[in-house]
Amino acid sequence: MKKKNSPMVGLGIPSLLLIFLVLCLVIFSLLSLSSAAADEKLSQKIADRTTNYYQVSNAANDILAKWDDFFETAWQQAGSSTEYYQKIKKEASSMESTQFTPGDPPVLSWQTPLGESQILSVCLSLPYPKEEGDCFYKIIEWKIENTDDWNPDWSQPVYRSQEKEGK
């Protein structure tokens, strides 16, 4: 009697390989989708932070423009460097978060909030202009500072040794 070769036996391994291949493709597509979603979320955070920084930087530039106009007016009205700096000190004391520090040359600084835990700090050195056309200030600091302390999380709950469990 002759044995019949069943065509079903030849389809088993290729079918399993095809199922495995489709399963791998589905898993890789889900991983790619998850990665793309995380990248989109990170890109949005970075875009929001950048937009916020430029808004705060523009506000600081507006303050600087007002001070520049004030410096020119004060210089034209003042008869001496002492009177000039007194006018600046008086104006600085009337503005919120602006500080005048006497020195040689004096320093004018202010902070603009940037989010919940950062500020944009601006410091100007104020040399006395000797003649018309001289600069009224030199920017010595324009930077972001953190207002909160950073407390790292050093715990790694990956492995518990027997000593810690009390055994």
Side-chain angles (χ1 to χ4, degrees):
M1 200 176 227
K2 287 186 175 181
K3 284 189 171 181
K4 289 185 179 179
N5 284 341
S6 149
M8 295 301 252
V9 174
L11 292 177
I13 293 178
S15 296
L16 287 175
L17 286 176
L18 183 64
I19 290 170
F20 178 73
L21 181 65
V22 168
L23 188 62
C24 287
L25 288 174
V26 168
I27 289 172
F28 286 137
S29 67
L30 290 175
L31 288 173
S32 295
L33 181 65
S34 172
S35 176
D39 287 347
E40 180 186 21
K41 186 186 262 186
L42 179 62
S43 296
Q44 188 61 47
K45 280 184 180 180
I46 291 171
D48 292 344
R49 177 170 162 66
T50 302
T51 301
N52 191 23
Y53 170 77
Y54 282 112
Q55 287 174 345
V56 170
S57 185
N58 286 341
N61 273 319
D62 291 342
I63 294 170
L64 182 60
K66 290 175 185 174
W67 273 112
D68 195 30
D69 292 340
F70 180 80
F71 293 150
E72 184 172 6
T73 304
W75 182 73
Q76 290 171 351
Q77 293 173 353
S80 66
S81 63
T82 307
E83 189 179 340
Y84 172 70
Y85 289 129
Q86 286 298 324
K87 287 179 181 286
I88 294 172
K89 184 177 181 178
K90 182 179 177 185
E91 183 69 18
S93 66
S94 70
M95 297 181 75
E96 186 178 330
S97 74
T98 303
Q99 184 177 359
F100 179 83
T101 308
D104 187 29
V107 174
L108 182 70
S109 60
W110 69 90
Q111 291 83 31
T112 307
L114 176 66
E116 295 175 6
S117 63
Q118 293 182 326
I119 57 172
L120 177 64
S121 178
V122 179
C123 290
L124 306 176
S125 173
L126 305 174
Y128 183 71
K130 301 206 181 340
E131 59 186 45
E132 194 167 335
D134 286 352
C135 65
F136 294 110
Y137 60 88
K138 178 181 177 186
I139 299 173
I140 56 176
E141 182 178 277
W142 190 287
K143 70 176 184 176
I144 296 174
E145 295 178 355
N146 290 321
T147 56
D148 288 345
D149 290 333
W150 181 65
N151 296 318
D153 181 12
W154 294 102
S155 65
Q156 295 181 353
V158 177
Y159 171 74
R160 285 187 150 194
S161 68
Q162 291 179 356
E163 295 172 11
K164 288 186 178 178
E165 292 178 2
K167 292 183 180 180

